[in-house]
Amino acid sequence: MAITSVVTNSLAKICQYLVANNNATRAGMFNGAINEKMPTILYMERKALEFGIQQNLTGLQGAANYLYSLLGGELNKANNILTNGGGGINVSAVANSSGALQPYNINVVITAGQAGVSTLSNAAWVGLSYINTVVINGANYQNGIGFTFNQTTGTFDFSLSGYVLQEDDDLSALGFIPISSTSGAANPTTQYANATAGLVVNVPNAIGKVVSLAFRGTGLVQVITSGTPVTNQALFDSVTGNFTVAADNPFFDGELFTVVVY
């Protein structure tokens, strides 16, 4: 995989979560993180690069190279997640293996309707497990200390930390979801498509599949299977392989759309 500015930005978003999760673990078990500021640094640098890419600015490779140099020890894990969804975790390749788990990335930009409260729910998150850390605007919240997660309802509750969600908050987390016993072989594959200007991109190899990760150019996309997409969401139709984005956030011609399916 070529290390372009787009790829670097996607790797940085994953590394930001991994570093925050590692810091939380070290803080809880080893009395201190190696670099408490690194998640915030990665957030700020990747946002700057992302803006440059969206504005089609020149000279971005230098900024991308600097960001890439910051990824450190989490780079290999991030590359594995970006490439095949594995995240360094052995996923069973046995067909119809109902006990296997598949990585599931949550990336949400809080809307006005979601702001002002300490809870956030999504039916697509029901059944998620092993959510250790949530990153909001570069700050990390640890499960059981900063938030709780209800698997039954797919609800995050930040009451433990007293945090109230604000409009435009950038929230991300990594969890795991059981692979359906009817989904066939568990091996994840990465599919690419170049969108044309508009709201819909078609990924033929996603037909009949389950989507665990999606990237729209530089950033992770929240995939929904029902309702109307807003902000950075994409509505997935498994029958046609179509992904439909929000009306106020259309694809530009040639925009790279990447999904990990199984």
Side-chain angles (χ1 to χ4, degrees), residues 164-195:
V164 177
L165 296 170
Q166 304 297 316
E167 186 176 0
D168 295 327
D169 276 353
D170 189 335
L171 182 151
S172 59
L174 179 66
F176 294 86
I177 191 168
I179 295 175
S180 169
S181 59
T182 61
S183 64
N187 283 343
T189 61
T190 304
Q191 307 296 330
Y192 302 92
N194 286 108

Side-chain angles (χ1 to χ4, degrees), residues 42-124:
L42 290 177
Y43 173 79
M44 295 175 65
E45 292 296 335
R46 72 173 178 79
K47 279 296 186 180
L49 179 61
E50 183 174 324
F51 175 80
I53 295 171
Q54 291 173 343
Q55 299 299 315
N56 198 29
L57 301 180
T58 59
L60 290 179
Q61 194 57 52
N65 290 345
Y66 172 67
L67 179 58
Y68 189 84
S69 72
L70 296 175
L71 303 186
E74 304 296 346
L75 177 58
N76 285 339
K77 294 179 185 178
N79 189 61
N80 197 17
I81 292 173
L82 181 61
T83 303
N84 58 37
I89 296 171
N90 293 323
V91 180
S92 172
V94 178
N96 301 322
S97 176
S98 60
L101 296 175
Q102 174 71 20
Y104 186 98
N105 198 293
I106 296 171
N107 185 256
V108 179
V109 176
I110 302 301
T111 65
Q114 296 169 322
V117 296
S118 296
T119 59
L120 182 67
S121 300
N122 191 311

Side-chain angles (χ1 to χ4, degrees), residues 9-242:
N9 205 55
S10 296
L11 288 170
K13 179 167 283 192
I14 300 171
C15 279
Q16 177 191 321
Y17 167 80
L18 294 174
V19 171
N21 186 59
N22 188 43
N23 280 358
T25 300
R26 289 181 177 275
M29 299 182 65
F30 304 108
N31 198 33
I34 293 177
N35 190 341
E36 296 179 351
K37 296 182 179 180
M38 185 53 70
T40 302
I41 293 172
L42 290 177
Y43 173 79
M44 295 175 65
E45 292 296 335
R46 72 173 178 79
K47 279 296 186 180
L49 179 61
E50 183 174 324
F51 175 80
I53 295 171
Q54 291 173 343
Q55 299 299 315
N56 198 29
L57 301 180
T58 59
L60 290 179
Q61 194 57 52
N65 290 345
Y66 172 67
L67 179 58
Y68 189 84
S69 72
L70 296 175
L71 303 186
E74 304 296 346
L75 177 58
N76 285 339
K77 294 179 185 178
N79 189 61
N80 197 17
I81 292 173
L82 181 61
T83 303
N84 58 37
I89 296 171
N90 293 323
V91 180
S92 172
V94 178
N96 301 322
S97 176
S98 60
L101 296 175
Q102 174 71 20
Y104 186 98
N105 198 293
I106 296 171
N107 185 256
V108 179
V109 176
I110 302 301
T111 65
Q114 296 169 322
V117 296
S118 296
T119 59
L120 182 67
S121 300
N122 191 311
W125 303 339
V126 172
L128 289 178
S129 58
Y130 302 108
I131 302 177
N132 296 322
T133 304
V134 173
V135 180
I136 303 178
N137 301 333
N140 59 284
Y141 296 81
Q142 189 175 3
N143 196 345
I145 300 176
F147 74 95
T148 58
F149 179 73
N150 189 319
Q151 288 181 288
T152 304
T153 60
T155 301
F156 288 96
D157 188 336
F158 295 92
S159 298
L160 287 176
S161 62
Y163 188 79
V164 177
L165 296 170
Q166 304 297 316
E167 186 176 0
D168 295 327
D169 276 353
D170 189 335
L171 182 151
S172 59
L174 179 66
F176 294 86
I177 191 168
I179 295 175
S180 169
S181 59
T182 61
S183 64
N187 283 343
T189 61
T190 304
Q191 307 296 330
Y192 302 92
N194 286 108
T196 55
L199 301 180
V200 180
V201 64
N202 181 258
V203 185
N205 288 335
I207 294 175
K209 302 291 187 179
V210 175
V211 179
S212 62
L213 290 170
F215 294 86
R216 183 177 170 184
T218 61
L220 290 162
V221 174
Q222 180 191 359
V223 177
I224 60 175
T225 56
S226 62
T228 302
V230 296
T231 58
N232 71 326
Q233 294 179 336
L235 175 66
F236 173 52
D237 185 337
S238 63
V239 176
T240 63
N242 284 344

